[in-house]
């Protein structure tokens, strides 16, 4: 093939959302090899699939953030992941103080460790458990829920909300006319948002007059003139972002880390014997299966050429960080979980000025939860009578993880 020839990408016409949700890796492996920046018809968007191109676009002054169509339909405007300029700066100023390392270090242990122990106490004498539903997701949603000020919302309800918002956000299939292929796919997300508002609105009413140390209370008040608060309509889209991405990420990250460790029993034994290795195990886990797999996008602010592809001004590009983290040009044997992989930067939390604000919080939530799990049940084994199925294209993780141990 000459340098002016383009590969035949007609096979992309056959790619469906079901393919991507079930197993995006085959499609994206081929994209990385044949067309690392390519238009994918089912998504109605260009897709970046390699580490180099994802990082280039995420940090380029020629691109700015844009929310995907399904994301915009789910979250509304202004969601922190899809705005720029002064609005983005204000929203980051609103959410970041509580997530700074020095601030997180002040309370993270007292927040997460008792929660993890409480869930472990419910099953550690049973000799078996399904860890996604009984530990990973509950610890994740309870920790963030308490931080936000949602202590009275049951953990199962928080899990239900993020699952519904997830299915709405990733209802991304588009028709050739640029319409949603499945508009009914947003109904349950709308139902979740209505329920969220019915519970959070009275809390906002309270926090306006009686602020406390909860995150949402700070979002209302911090940086505002005396006697004024941010409008609830302004912060709700970012609340929804938290109730999906931030609720999901630590739970699925720790579950994927466990699956990876179970695939390398000798490495699992190392981590159990030396808790200082847990952060390294988590870093490899979220690289191996990125919880936020392909959920963010950028849009060109002027005509630009990337990877030999000419993009007009106003061209959206979906950032496939989960694919970038499997880039063979960056990582040796990337499909293999390896605790001892040389530490290289990964893109599980994004890059540029829209990188995840909660990196430190998420990493320490996962660390503490796994420390507690391995201390309580050091002889943990995967129940091989049950398979492990991963699901998701925008957000990805194991749907279940059955384990056993000798009591």
């Amino acid at each position: 093939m000459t340098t002016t020839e383009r590969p035949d990408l007609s096979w992309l016409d056959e790619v469906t959302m079901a393919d991507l949700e079930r197993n995006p890796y085959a499609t994206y492996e081929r994209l990385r090899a044949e067309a690392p920046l390519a238009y994918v018809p089912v998504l109605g968007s260009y897709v970046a699939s390699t580490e180099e191109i994802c990082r280039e676009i995420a940090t380029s002054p020629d691109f700015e953030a844009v929310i995907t169509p399904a994301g915009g339909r789910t979250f509304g405007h202004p969601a922190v992941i899809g705005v720029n300029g002064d609005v983005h700066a204000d929203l980051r100023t609103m959410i970041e103080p509580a997530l700074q390392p020095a601030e997180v270090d002040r309370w993270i242990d007292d927040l997460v460790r008792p929660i993890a122990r409480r869930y472990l106490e419910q099953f550690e004498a049973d000799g078996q458990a399904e860890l996604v539903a009984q530990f990973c997701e509950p610890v994740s949603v309870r920790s963030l829920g308490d931080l936000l000020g949602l202590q009275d919302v049951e953990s199962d309800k928080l899990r239900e909300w993020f699952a519904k918002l997830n299915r709405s956000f990733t209802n991304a299939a588009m028709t050739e006319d640029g319409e949603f292929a499945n508009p009914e796919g947003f109904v349950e997300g709308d139902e979740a948002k209505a329920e969220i508002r019915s519970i959070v609105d009275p809390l906002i009413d309270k926090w306006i007059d009686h602020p406390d140390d909860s995150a949402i209370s700070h979002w209302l008040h911090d940086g505002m003139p005396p006697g004024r608060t941010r409008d609830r309509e302004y912060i709700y889209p970012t609340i929804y972002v938290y109730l999906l991405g931030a609720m999901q990420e630590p739970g699925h990250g720790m579950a994927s880390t466990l699956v990876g460790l179970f695939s390398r029993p000798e490495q699992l034994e190392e981590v159990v014997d030396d808790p200082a290795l847990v952060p390294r195990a988590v870093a490899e886990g979220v690289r191996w299966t990125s919880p936020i797999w392909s959920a963010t996008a950028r849009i060109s602010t002027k005509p630009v050429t990337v990877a030999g592809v000419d993009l007009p001004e106003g061209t959206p590009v979906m950032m496939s960080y989960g694919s970038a983290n499997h880039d063979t040009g960056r990582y040796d044997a990337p499909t293999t979980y390896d605790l001892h992989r040389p530490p290289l930067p990964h893109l599980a939390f994004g890059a540029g000025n829209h990188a995840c604000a909660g990196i430190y919080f998420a990493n320490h939530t996962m660390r503490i939860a796994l420390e507690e799990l391995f201390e309580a049940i050091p002889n943990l084994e995967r129940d091989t009578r049950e398979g492990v199925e991963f699901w998701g294209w925008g957000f990805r993780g194991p749907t279940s993880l059955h384990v056993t141990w000798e009591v």
Side-chain angles (χ1 to χ4, degrees), residues 63-85:
F63 289 84
E64 62 182 18
V66 67
I67 200 164
T68 63
R73 172 63 178 79
T74 300
F75 291 153
H77 179 79
V80 65
I81 63 172
V83 292
N84 303 280

Side-chain angles (χ1 to χ4, degrees), residues 56-58 60-65 84 298-301 304 306 311 315 317:
E56 176 184 348
I57 292 174
S60 170
D62 299 332
F63 289 84
E64 62 182 18
N84 303 280
R298 300 291 186 272
I299 191 168
S300 55
T301 58
V304 63
V306 178
L311 302 176
T315 301
V317 180

Side-chain angles (χ1 to χ4, degrees), residues 254-264 288 388 390 398 400-401:
M254 69 177 86
S256 294
T257 297
L258 287 165
V259 176
L261 286 169
F262 285 134
S263 74
R264 306 293 298 271
W288 181 61
V388 177
F390 284 77
S400 63
L401 178 55

